[in-house]
Amino acid sequence: MSEPSAKPMPPPWWQEAVFYQIYPRSFADGNGDGVGDLAGIIDRVPYIAELGVDAIWLSPVFTSPMHDFGYDVSDYCDIDPVFGSLADMDRLIAECHDHGLRITLDWVPNHTSIDHPWFVESLTSRDSPKRKWYVWRDPAPDGGPPNNWRAEFGDMPAWTLDEASGQYYLHLFLPEQPDLNWHHPDVEEAMHDTLRFWLDRGVDGFRADVINLIGKDPGLADLPDGPGKALTTIDEPATHRMLRGIRKVLDAYDHKPMMVGEVCLYRPGQTASYLGVVGPDGEGAELHLAFDFRATHARWDADRFGEVIDAIQGDSVEFDSWPTWTLSNHDRRRHRQRYGSDGRARSAAVMLLTQRATPYLYAGEELCLPDATIPPDAVVDPGGRDGCRAPIPWTEDAPFGWGESTWLPFVADAGLRSPDGVIGASTLALYRRLLHLRRNEPALRRGDQRRLELGGPVVGWTRTLGANEFDIVVNFGDIAVPVDLVGDIVEGSHRSGVAFDGVLQPDEAVILTRP
Ligand code: TEU
């Protein structure tokens, strides 16, 4: 008698999921004040579920004076009135779960708002019990900032002098975003409590903002090459210890909450190292996932994307880590804008949703949204990122489902790119078909990925699981090219449901099944 074969463990939910990022100010306007809110999102949950994604990442909705539109939190455990109330958030969590969607929140652990009661207290005196919760230092001998770090936003040092106490506080972003001192055990504990607050309310996890920054070396040494930004250099062992502590908080919950980290480091293996070195009993685990931004930096070019695809899969094998893939988010020009045509954006969707990775979509890409043009007097973001944060047009006619006056202008051709407009509807249909195909085909989610050597402007890869196999090919060029593959086009940027004729049109991407 043969031994019953051990059933392989199913992959964790966050490896099989497609995430959908919502920038709350820009998604949907429930109360008609021109700023998106939780009521608007609740109304659109059926739309999101029907799209075929599995989970939401909601950019910050916590109480904030909005100097960085919510990435400056003054209360981690409440909702800013511009977005609604805690009761609305509870309703959103329930609504998502009722529709089979998971919901993850954006946790901003590196810095608070200057309005956070912890910082307000820290500012009162050098002896305040909260003084050590932030990074305070005496001036350099010349009276200037303690080191040569520059802030991410504005042309300024990462330090602001508090005249009253004669000390500087550190802020890697705006002066209104003071950095927390994670080396203080009370900070660590208080921040763990903010996670528990939301986990107890049923959220399924978090996106952790600039997570590589939390464990800064207390020596705060100068950058060796002169004044500059420290965001992409801070990579300290202390952060790994802190992440193991965070992971224990998450692992104490039965519903398997996850955390994806924004790790702003680019050397091979650096990002993967933030997933931890996991032992047989799960000890040593850190983040569940880390963002990979390499695809967001590649221009529409076969060689570039060939390299990115290989690098992401290569790192996954070398460092035994599950990858992520993303083309757009609230910090960068949208990929439709970067690539310059609807056809390319549609092909990019085929590429994104056939990777062996957890994809992160940015709301609006399913409608083929470019960036909005922002007149100088309408600029509101200190980081110059308003264009990719334009409100989503929900109807064909102005005001596109929003109040009369929105916080940012709409994109050009907004009506055409609404779900009922010509471009919006066809792109939405493509995303729905791709997402449903991915949901129905384990080979596209977790199958092996192998590159096809096709050369020229064509990049191809194969996804295989058992006997199921798909070939995916993308033409990055602007002329039709013959491709030596046979099969049926199960899905594609320009056509589907037909036999492949061996010629890939300009900017076309197809998913083929072997006949
Ligand atoms: O972003 C960190 C980050 O890398 C960006 O600030 C980037 O440097 C900038 O967008 C350049 O265009 C995270 C959030 O995603 C961002 O929205 C916040 O502003 C920032 O952290 C501070 O919390």
Side-chain angles (χ1 to χ4, degrees):
M1 231 166 62
S2 62
E3 291 282 313
S5 60
K7 246 188 148 179
M9 287 276 285
W13 70 266
W14 41 269
Q15 281 188 8
E16 297 271 282
V18 177
F19 283 77
Y20 182 77
Q21 182 195 358
I22 291 179
Y23 193 71
R25 297 179 78 85
S26 308
F27 189 66
D29 184 5
N31 64 1
D33 68 353
V35 181
D37 48 40
L38 294 180
I41 301 172
I42 291 167
D43 288 346
R44 301 284 164 187
V45 166
Y47 165 92
I48 301 165
E50 212 183 307
L51 181 59
V53 298
D54 306 285
I56 289 172
W57 150 28
L58 185 60
S59 278
V61 288
F62 314 114
T63 319
S64 166
M66 304 286 168
H67 294 285
D68 190 10
F69 297 109
Y71 285 94
D72 49 327
V73 180
S74 55
D75 185 348
Y76 289 95
C77 301
D78 206 351
I79 300 296
D80 194 274
V82 80
F83 298 124
S85 64
L86 263 181
D88 293 328
M89 189 68 212
D90 288 339
R91 270 203 305 139
L92 176 59
I93 295 169
E95 197 69 10
C96 285
H97 290 164
D98 283 352
H99 284 80
L101 292 167
R102 288 187 163 92
I103 175 162
T104 60
L105 302 185
D106 207 321
W107 188 55
V108 189
N110 177 66
H111 42 268
T112 68
S113 157
I114 36 164
D115 290 356
H116 197 293
W118 301 339
F119 189 72
V120 173
E121 194 179 330
S122 186
L123 200 54
T124 53
S125 85
R126 287 184 183 223
D127 307 322
S128 143
K130 292 282 188 307
R131 189 69 168 185
K132 292 201 169 80
W133 283 42
Y134 291 85
V135 185
W136 288 98
R137 292 288 185 278
D138 289 329
D142 67 357
N147 73 12
N148 66 359
W149 296 1
R150 309 285 298 171
E152 278 297 310
F153 302 129
D155 184 14
M156 63 174 94
W159 297 91
T160 289
L161 180 66
D162 166 44
E163 305 267 349
S165 66
Q167 285 192 313
Y168 282 88
Y169 67 88
L170 178 69
H171 53 86
L172 285 173
F173 295 88
L174 296 171
E176 291 85 0
Q177 293 168 297
D179 281 49
L180 280 165
N181 172 23
W182 268 78
H183 290 282
H184 195 301
D186 292 353
V187 169
E188 205 167 347
E189 196 46 43
M191 290 304 286
H192 287 180
D193 284 345
T194 66
L195 294 173
R196 291 189 190 102
F197 177 86
W198 291 109
L199 291 167
D200 289 343
R201 296 183 104 88
V203 309
D204 299 290
F206 302 90
R207 176 262 191 191
D209 191 59
V210 289
I211 195 70
N212 59 300
L213 298 184
I214 61 174
K216 284 171 278 285
D217 172 12
L220 300 175
D222 274 341
L223 291 173
D225 299 330
K229 297 177 180 180
L231 174 68
T232 54
T233 64
I234 294 177
D235 185 20
E236 289 294 326
T239 305
H240 297 281
R241 177 187 61 71
M242 292 162 187
L243 280 173
R244 290 193 289 273
I246 290 166
R247 179 62 177 253
K248 284 207 180 79
V249 174
L250 299 176
D251 285 350
Y253 286 79
D254 290 335
H255 65 288
K256 306 211 177 309
M258 62 81 70
M259 182 174 279
V260 59
E262 187 194 25
V263 179
C264 302
L265 300 169
Y266 290 89
R267 285 207 305 277
Q270 264 186 316
T271 301
S273 74
Y274 283 77
L275 307 180
V277 180
V278 187
D281 297 323
E283 75 275 9
E286 299 179 22
L287 296 170
H288 296 79
L289 291 173
F291 281 118
D292 196 311
F293 293 126
R294 283 177 286 193
T296 68
H297 293 293
R299 64 188 154 81
W300 189 252
D301 174 273
D303 290 343
R304 293 288 85 71
F305 270 100
E307 283 165 18
V308 167
I309 290 168
D310 289 349
I312 293 178
Q313 291 308 319
D315 282 5
S316 166
V317 172
E318 186 176 346
F319 303 105
D320 191 21
S321 59
W322 184 256
T324 59
W325 249 81
T326 188
L327 296 174
S328 288
N329 62 37
H330 66 297
D331 286 336
R332 296 193 156 75
R333 288 189 305 142
R334 286 180 175 274
H335 63 270
R336 163 64 185 77
Q337 186 73 22
R338 301 196 309 267
Y339 304 154
S341 79
D342 294 338
R344 289 178 179 181
R346 293 166 63 90
S347 290
V350 175
M351 174 171 65
L352 172 65
L353 291 170
T354 55
Q355 296 297 323
R356 178 186 162 276
T358 298
Y360 272 81
L361 309 182
Y362 180 44
E365 69 174 74
E366 76 277 18
L367 302 171
C368 215
L369 291 191
D371 282 13
T373 305
I374 312 292
D377 64 351
V379 168
V380 289
D381 177 46
R385 301 162 294 185
D386 293 325
C388 65
R389 299 172 178 180
I392 302 219
W394 290 109
T395 62
E396 279 189 271
D397 299 313
F400 309 113
W402 289 70
E404 283 304 325
S405 155
T406 49
W407 76 290
L408 282 174
F410 288 93
V411 301
D413 297 334
L416 291 180
R417 292 171 194 278
S418 70
D420 294 326
V422 176
I423 303 167
S426 61
T427 312
L428 180 57
L430 172 66
Y431 268 80
R432 283 185 181 147
R433 294 196 310 267
L434 289 168
L435 284 158
H436 285 92
L437 182 67
R438 188 176 170 103
R439 183 171 280 174
N440 291 331
E441 296 290 352
L444 290 177
R445 299 196 303 277
R446 57 174 178 268
D448 289 342
Q449 180 159 342
R450 194 172 45 80
R451 266 293 289 285
L452 293 165
E453 291 307 329
L454 298 165
V458 177
V459 177
W461 58 96
T462 299
R463 302 296 312 280
T464 316
L465 187 69
N468 289 330
E469 182 153 308
F470 295 90
D471 294 329
I472 299 99
V473 276
V474 185
N475 180 5
F476 285 84
D478 50 14
I479 50 166
V481 279
V483 174
D484 190 17
L485 290 172
V486 286
D488 294 321
I489 302 178
V490 261
E491 212 37 81
S493 58
H494 295 58
R495 51 187 162 150
S496 64
V498 292
F500 183 51
D501 55 4
V503 178
L504 213 46
Q505 296 303 314
D507 293 328
E508 186 181 29
V510 295
I511 305 172
L512 302 177
T513 44
R514 299 277 163 83

